Amino acid sequence: MAEIDDLSFETDNVVAAKDAEDKIFDSSNAVVSFVSERFKRAEDARQGDEDRWLRAYRNYRGLYGPDVQFTETEKSRVFVKVTKTKTLAAYGQIIDVLFGNNKFPLSVDPTVLPDGVSESVHINIDPAAEDGFDVLKSTFNDSPAEPFIIGPDTKLNPGETLRDLEKRLGPLKEKLAPISDKLIEGDGESSTTVTFHPAMIAAKKMEKKIHDQLVESGASKHLRSMAFEMALLGTGVMKGPFALDKEYPNWDEEGSYDPLVKTVPATNHVSVWNFYPDPEAANMDDAEYTVERHKMSRNQLRGLKNRPYFMDDSIELAIDQGADYVLKHWEMNMEDDDAKSNATERWEVLEFWGFVDIDILEDNGVSIPKELRDLPEVNCNIWCCNGEVLRMVLNPFKPARIPYYAVPYEHNPYSFFGVGIAENMDDTQTLMNGFMRMAIDNAALSGNLIIEVDETNLVPGQDMSVYPGKVFRRQGGAPGQALFGTKFPNVAGENMQLFDKARVLADESTGFPSFAHGQTGVSGVGRTASGISMLMSAANGSIRSVVKNVDDYLIAPMGRAFFAFNMQFDFDPDIRGDL
């Protein structure tokens, strides 16, 4: 197995300094400018998306933004957090569907017509023969690990021979070696026929291996984080697979701590706030590059030295120049403490994945492999901090791919980023807040008696406070009432009716009716068991499209990436197949 770390893999095409202490880049070189320019382009292009995300975050937290101004007569500042309820309901349903079987929702199956491995082979056994089933018994001392599933017939390809067929047996080649001369391509039809399915067995071995890798790396936790941002902000981002050295606690016979270190492929969640994709792309398939923004401490930055091809001198130079992390406007707006200083003891590190012109690399002393010199640009991974290139390698994956997966909650065909629950009910949340504030202010006004006093009929200098048993002394004058009580009409009921109407509109705009997340007092069709069942079935329709997006934009490409990872860096003939 090739040497691998959590960021790249040692291959013949890796381009970097051979000695970690050798600095091959200048601080003012075109590589840093190239990455910074790409980052600036992506940052400017997503300005409008950041404003949408901020509104969604405030609605979820129940916070009024600076665009909301209250008059002096408005006493109530209440915020009805219906957005939070809807978002958590959507998040809960997504998680319930994805993890309904208590495992990561990824399965591996052979293609309809597998290429390079046989879909099925069979052998005809003559029960009357002396060595009939004894042949199979001697071949399979142990029961096969995977079930044999019958599939459609597959013919030998034109020009193939029995020897070619043996090569296509995949994980069953050695096990079926004693009877290879009796194997026939395709499914058998006789009752005395035994059928084997190399393609299916290879697929299930690969699935088992990938699931083990996902469990070891805690992928389910990161998938849940991704699903939450997807429901709230409209887009969730995952990254991987990368190799991770995982430490397992272990003590030897003498009681000394001797941990076991195992390298496993891992995937993790990337916050959409720190993800800057190609502004011209509509999805990851179209993206020419992506930039991930890291916020690192001094210890974390020095920890990069333990990873291959990070240059020690460049890292120390970046640290010596001082912390350069500056809070973005959205970070300042998301802070609970308005008085928080912008000064921070952190460094901003940009991780670039994408295409770089050959000329830029050659001008900076980077040697290009012979097979790539005729290309105008190559796919690279570059890390920059404080004007220093910390690491630069060619994209190690084969086929080359940008290892990020952006999943929209609701697909927007004209934008890279999707639309979430909070944005869909932004207007109705504003209406609900307004009607509730009006109802509370009116209830406070109508619940108190307004007292009008005619002071000409009262003795001067009296205390005007009112309480039960209060006595006002009256002086001579024209007869008549000196105190008058005025009660304002209570219109809170009308305001609450408008609030309920806005809440119904929120159900319509999000596709999540209130009864789906615990509202009581459902009337009409929902009064019966069959009626509520129909309503719940209709409500689940919206979540089906969301889960389909997760399948198309995350599960399928990540499964292919894990397959390619295992085939490239941990080749095992038992998992080779057309999957």
Side-chain angles (χ1 to χ4, degrees):
M1 179 176 176
E3 293 183 5
I4 49 181
D5 72 321
D6 55 335
L7 291 170
S8 71
F9 311 90
E10 184 174 353
T11 66
D12 295 336
N13 292 333
V14 171
V15 178
K18 295 181 179 179
D19 188 344
E21 297 181 356
D22 292 340
K23 185 174 183 300
I24 63 173
F25 301 108
D26 297 328
S27 60
S28 60
N29 66 80
V31 175
V32 176
S33 300
F34 178 85
V35 174
S36 300
E37 187 270 335
R38 291 294 189 272
F39 173 71
K40 181 63 176 176
R41 281 178 52 192
E43 184 181 24
D44 293 342
R46 72 168 212 176
Q47 185 73 38
D49 297 299
E50 291 175 356
D51 295 337
R52 293 190 296 113
W53 299 340
L54 275 176
R55 288 184 61 87
Y57 172 76
R58 292 195 187 103
N59 287 345
Y60 177 81
R61 288 287 309 279
L63 304 173
Y64 285 107
D67 56 324
V68 179
Q69 300 294 328
F70 298 100
T71 64
E72 294 182 357
T73 59
E74 290 181 287
K75 303 301 181 182
S76 175
R77 300 291 190 271
V78 65
F79 195 112
V80 186
K81 294 194 285 187
V82 179
T83 297
K84 180 177 182 179
T85 303
K86 298 287 187 185
T87 300
L88 293 179
Y91 167 69
Q93 286 201 24
I94 294 172
I95 293 301
D96 184 57
V97 173
L98 293 180
F99 295 99
N101 296 326
N102 296 321
K103 67 176 184 179
F104 196 89
L106 189 151
S107 62
V108 181
D109 295 297
T111 57
V112 178
L113 293 176
D115 186 18
V117 62
S118 296
E119 180 180 6
S120 60
V121 294
H122 69 274
I123 179 174
N124 294 320
I125 302 298
D126 184 5
E130 296 181 358
D131 61 346
F133 288 99
D134 293 337
V135 176
L136 289 182
K137 290 181 181 179
S138 62
T139 302
F140 298 100
N141 295 324
D142 299 321
S143 59
E146 301 292 344
F148 298 134
I149 303 175
I150 303 300
D153 292 338
T154 302
K155 304 297 183 182
L156 281 172
N157 295 329
E160 274 196 328
T161 63
L162 183 59
R163 186 179 299 273
D164 298 323
L165 172 61
E166 293 176 359
K167 294 180 180 179
R168 297 173 56 193
L169 290 178
L172 292 179
K173 181 178 180 180
E174 295 182 1
K175 189 173 285 294
L176 297 179
I179 56 173
S180 59
D181 58 333
K182 301 180 181 180
L183 291 176
I184 305 173
E185 183 83 5
D187 290 333
E189 300 178 356
S190 173
S191 60
T192 61
T193 296
V194 178
T195 304
F196 308 96
H197 294 266
M200 179 61 72
I201 294 175
K204 293 309 170 185
K205 283 182 177 291
M206 173 64 81
E207 179 180 327
K208 187 175 181 180
K209 187 177 186 67
I210 292 177
H211 274 280
D212 178 70
Q213 295 168 346
L214 291 170
V215 171
E216 291 288 344
S217 63
S220 297
K221 176 183 66 176
H222 295 286
L223 182 60
R224 290 186 178 92
S225 300
M226 185 280 300
F228 176 76
E229 275 201 350
M230 182 176 65
L232 175 61
L233 305 178
T235 307
V237 182
M238 292 284 284
K239 175 185 179 182
F242 297 103
L244 174 68
D245 289 335
K246 187 173 181 179
E247 180 178 312
Y248 295 86
N250 180 59
W251 286 263
D252 58 21
E253 297 178 356
E254 298 178 358
S256 300
Y257 183 65
D258 185 20
L260 300 175
V261 179
K262 181 181 178 181
T263 302
V264 295
T267 181
N268 61 282
H269 165 244
V270 176
S271 176
V272 69
W273 294 102
N274 295 321
F275 182 64
Y276 296 82
D278 179 3
E280 305 296 331
N283 52 61
M284 282 305 304
D285 293 335
D286 299 334
E288 185 174 308
Y289 71 90
T290 61
V291 180
E292 181 184 353
R293 179 172 176 258
H294 297 272
K295 182 180 181 180
M296 290 189 173
S297 65
R298 181 182 284 102
N299 179 264
Q300 291 173 327
L301 199 54
R302 286 197 169 116
L304 296 176
K305 296 179 182 179
N306 298 325
R307 303 177 181 180
Y309 306 111
F310 275 90
M311 291 170 283
D312 295 6
D313 286 353
S314 296
I315 292 175
E316 289 299 331
L317 283 173
I319 294 176
D320 292 342
Q321 294 179 37
D324 66 333
Y325 190 88
V326 178
L327 296 178
K328 300 294 184 182
H329 72 95
W330 46 267
E331 291 177 291
M332 297 293 291
N333 289 326
M334 291 173 66
E335 292 290 344
D336 293 332
D337 185 5
D338 295 334
K340 182 177 177 62
S341 173
N342 193 32
T344 177
E345 189 67 17
R346 292 292 184 269
W347 281 258
E348 180 180 80
V349 181
L350 301 181
E351 180 184 358
F352 173 90
W353 287 86
F355 290 95
V356 181
D357 292 342
I358 288 285
D359 296 339
I360 295 178
L361 302 178
E362 292 179 340
D363 291 344
N364 286 270
V366 179
S367 60
I368 307 298
K370 294 180 179 179
E371 63 272 18
L372 300 178
R373 289 177 184 172
D374 294 335
L375 299 177
E377 55 188 8
V378 292
N379 203 323
C380 295
N381 173 223
I382 307 172
W383 290 62
C384 299
C385 178
N386 253 345
E388 299 290 334
V389 176
L390 308 184
R391 176 178 185 268
M392 184 171 183
V393 297
L394 297 182
N395 191 315
F397 301 112
K398 295 183 183 300
R401 63 182 181 275
I402 298 178
Y404 291 88
Y405 314 96
V407 188
Y409 178 86
E410 180 182 311
H411 182 59
N412 181 359
Y414 308 107
S415 173
F416 184 94
F417 299 103
V419 180
I421 286 285
E423 182 180 350
N424 281 333
M425 60 173 297
D426 184 21
D427 291 335
T428 54
Q429 178 67 72
T430 302
L431 290 175
M432 285 186 283
N433 290 339
F435 292 138
M436 183 59 72
R437 293 198 307 268
M438 291 171 60
I440 292 176
D441 287 339
N442 178 256
L445 183 63
S446 62
N448 292 277
L449 190 65
I450 305 301
I451 300 175
E452 180 183 351
V453 180
D454 184 358
E455 292 185 352
T456 59
N457 293 330
L458 299 179
V459 175
Q462 296 187 69
D463 181 15
M464 290 299 172
S465 61
V466 180
Y467 52 86
K470 171 72 175 183
V471 176
F472 288 92
R473 295 194 303 276
R474 182 186 175 91
Q475 63 185 3
Q481 185 175 351
L483 301 178
F484 301 90
T486 302
K487 180 175 175 57
F488 280 86
N490 188 336
V491 294
E494 287 85 344
N495 289 325
M496 291 309 298
Q497 288 181 358
L498 292 173
F499 173 88
D500 292 337
K501 182 62 177 177
R503 181 163 185 162
V504 172
L505 293 176
D507 295 348
E508 296 289 337
S509 61
T510 60
F512 277 91
S514 297
F515 63 79
H517 49 79
Q519 181 194 21
T520 58
V522 179
S523 58
V525 179
R527 291 180 297 175
T528 63
S530 60
I532 197 67
S533 177
M534 289 188 296
L535 292 177
M536 291 296 292
S537 178
N540 289 335
S542 61
I543 205 64
R544 294 190 187 102
S545 61
V546 177
V547 174
K548 182 60 177 174
N549 287 340
V550 177
D551 285 341
D552 294 340
Y553 291 93
L554 175 64
I555 303 299
M558 180 178 289
R560 290 191 292 267
F562 266 89
F563 168 70
F565 178 95
N566 283 290
M567 296 302 295
Q568 181 179 356
F569 300 109
D570 189 16
F571 182 79
D572 182 353
D574 285 355
I575 59 176
R576 182 187 180 97
D578 186 15
L579 312 180

